[in-house]
């Protein structure tokens, strides 16, 4: 993990965000990810996209 953090510091341009620490993902499934410290995260963009796809897959009901 220390190597990943060092690579982040060496190669990622953060501008004004020097105080933001990188998140090192340990495992992921679907729109959720867990970091090496056990904290869970939700990929909101993927979750919203998935919801939109499910809504689009529903047949439209015609009203007469």
């Amino acid at each position: 993990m220390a190597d990943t953090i060092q690579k982040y510091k060496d190669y990622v341009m953060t501008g004004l965000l020097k105080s933001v620490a990188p998140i090192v993902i340990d495992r992921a499934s679907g729109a959720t990810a867990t970091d090496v410290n056990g904290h869970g995260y939700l990929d909101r963009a993927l979750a919203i996209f998935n919801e939109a796809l499910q809504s689009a897959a529903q047949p439209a009901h015609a009203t007469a």
Side-chain angles (χ1 to χ4, degrees):
M1 184 168 108
D3 184 47
T4 302
I5 292 173
Q6 186 58 47
K7 286 182 181 180
Y8 175 86
K9 290 177 182 178
D10 291 342
Y11 299 110
V12 176
M13 296 177 61
T14 57
L16 300 173
L17 303 175
K18 291 291 183 188
S19 64
V20 176
I23 299 170
V24 180
I25 300 299
D26 181 46
R27 61 187 177 278
S29 177
T32 59
T34 305
D35 69 7
V36 293
N37 297 322
H39 299 109
Y41 299 91
L42 173 65
D43 183 340
R44 295 174 69 184
L46 181 58
I48 292 169
F49 181 71
N50 186 32
E51 187 67 31
L53 286 177
Q54 288 179 1
S55 296
Q58 300 298 323
H61 296 286
T63 57

